[in-house]
Amino acid sequence: MPMLRSATTGDWIGTFSGHKGAVWSCRLDPKALLAGTASGDFSVRVWDAIKGQSLYVFPHKHVVKTCDWSGDSRRLATGGHEGILRVFDITEPEKDPLMFVQSTKEKVSISKCNWIDKSTVLAAGEDGTIRFWNVDESDPTKQLVSTLSVDSDDGGIRDMEITNLTTTPPQTVLTVAAGQNVTFFDLTTRRKIHSYKMPIHFGEEGGASLHPSGKKFIAGGGRKGGSMALKSSANKGSELGSDLKVYVFDFDTGKELECHKGHHGPVRCLRYHPDGKSYATGSEDGTIRVWKTDP
């Protein structure tokens, strides 16, 4: 069950009880008054983040892997195994959602979705393509605005993060973990900045996060041995296993700066704190660890 904890002390604040399947994504809205959760029980729920009360349940037809709030907290975008990006209007919860099919040729599951402005949602597909959808465009031929592609090595896109750097001039960077690489794009120009090969493979788990200074990034999860892990996992008895470490890399060169041990299970997610002084990692070992880092 999703739960809320104090980021300062780690103390338990409350639990959101109601889903009947694994919860794959949890998001607080920008005001931290609402929470959205995406679940394997084929539903998305909206919660009162203060009282823990379930406000709305939005049914889907398959596992939902991701959700994200718009900047004004009025809309919630969702995606999953159906390959359909949905946008729900929280002010009119009984209204049918807007729907955007990722591909008319084949089903492309959505692993992550993120709002980048009041009208545009990014949807990361298992085909290694990130699609930019204008969700306010009524003409279906104009709804797909742009695409970006990464080499996912048949593993799909596992993680996607948008970071507004504290640089001069300011820069918005999209971080993507897919295949054996972490790739960075400038969201203003849509151009690739860097792509670095990792010592792990993001075939089934893991992710990456960019420091707000833009000087370094963290990566974790994935399988040991890079792309060899993906190939060997197809053979019984030759699985190399999950990598339990958390890595820190230099953004400009891709050089490994640090390597940390502590988790006893696969690392599923990790993110820098907005002030850059720490980062959090979540693992299948049932713990969330908060690590100190230099700014």
Side-chain angles (χ1 to χ4, degrees):
M1 292 184 291
M3 65 176 64
L4 192 64
R5 289 182 176 271
S6 168
T8 303
T9 64
D11 290 343
W12 175 85
I13 297 174
T15 300
F16 301 100
S17 179
H19 280 298
K20 296 178 174 60
V23 176
W24 290 100
S25 179
C26 304
R27 286 287 189 274
L28 288 173
D29 80 313
K31 299 176 183 178
L33 297 176
L34 298 172
T37 54
S39 173
D41 65 6
F42 296 16
S43 77
V44 166
R45 286 178 179 258
V46 174
W47 310 79
D48 182 320
I50 306 300
K51 299 178 181 179
Q53 178 185 358
S54 179
L55 302 177
Y56 312 115
V57 180
F58 297 127
H60 291 60
K61 296 181 180 180
H62 213 309
V63 172
V64 193
K65 296 299 292 285
T66 180
C67 63
D68 194 40
W69 290 97
S70 60
D72 60 7
S73 302
R74 294 170 60 90
R75 297 192 284 183
L76 184 68
T78 71
H81 288 180
E82 283 183 88
I84 300 173
L85 176 69
R86 287 180 169 85
V87 178
F88 294 89
D89 188 337
I90 305 303
T91 64
E92 299 180 274
E94 72 286 345
K95 186 178 179 180
D96 289 337
L98 301 174
M99 295 194 292
F100 306 87
V101 179
Q102 301 307 288
S103 174
T104 57
K105 298 179 181 179
E106 60 180 343
K107 187 182 76 169
V108 178
S109 298
I110 300 171
S111 56
K112 297 289 180 181
C113 66
N114 291 96
W115 291 83
I116 59 172
D117 57 42
K118 63 180 181 180
S119 299
T120 310
V121 180
L122 303 188
E126 291 293 334
D127 60 350
T129 300
I130 301 165
R131 295 168 173 84
F132 292 64
W133 293 97
N134 183 341
V135 299
D136 290 328
E137 175 58 61
S138 59
D139 184 347
T141 64
K142 298 179 180 179
Q143 291 171 345
L144 183 59
V145 178
S146 180
T147 61
L148 293 173
S149 296
V150 295
D151 182 7
S152 63
D153 199 14
D154 297 326
I157 296 173
R158 201 54 50 223
D159 194 16
M160 182 172 67
E161 177 197 49
I162 297 171
T163 307
N164 296 311
L165 299 184
T166 57
T167 55
T168 304
Q171 186 181 28
T172 302
V173 176
L174 177 68
T175 303
V176 182
Q180 200 179 346
N181 296 284
V182 174
T183 305
F184 303 93
F185 295 93
D186 184 320
L187 269 185
T188 301
T189 63
R190 311 280 169 87
R191 292 183 179 178
K192 183 188 297 183
I193 304 172
H194 297 298
S195 185
Y196 297 120
K197 190 174 183 180
M198 297 285 102
I200 52 179
H201 194 286
F202 302 106
E204 298 179 11
E205 58 207 25
S209 181
L210 179 62
H211 191 275
S213 68
K215 295 182 179 180
K216 56 187 175 182
F217 66 96
I218 51 175
R223 298 287 173 176
K224 297 178 182 178
S227 59
M228 289 300 295
L230 187 69
K231 295 175 182 178
S232 67
S233 63
N235 303 318
K236 293 182 178 180
S238 59
E239 174 61 73
L240 296 183
S242 298
D243 190 297
L244 310 183
K245 303 172 186 175
V246 180
Y247 300 88
V248 183
F249 298 93
D250 182 87
F251 177 74
D252 291 323
T253 65
K255 179 183 177 181
E256 182 181 320
L257 303 176
E258 304 171 26
C259 178
H260 300 288
K261 300 178 181 179
H263 282 299
H264 301 287
V267 176
R268 282 289 183 177
C269 56
L270 62 174
R271 284 291 183 268
Y272 270 111
H273 188 283
D275 65 12
K277 295 180 181 180
S278 63
Y279 58 88
T281 56
S283 168
E284 284 189 21
D285 64 11
T287 67
I288 294 174
R289 290 179 177 266
V290 178
W291 311 76
K292 291 184 178 181
T293 181
D294 294 328

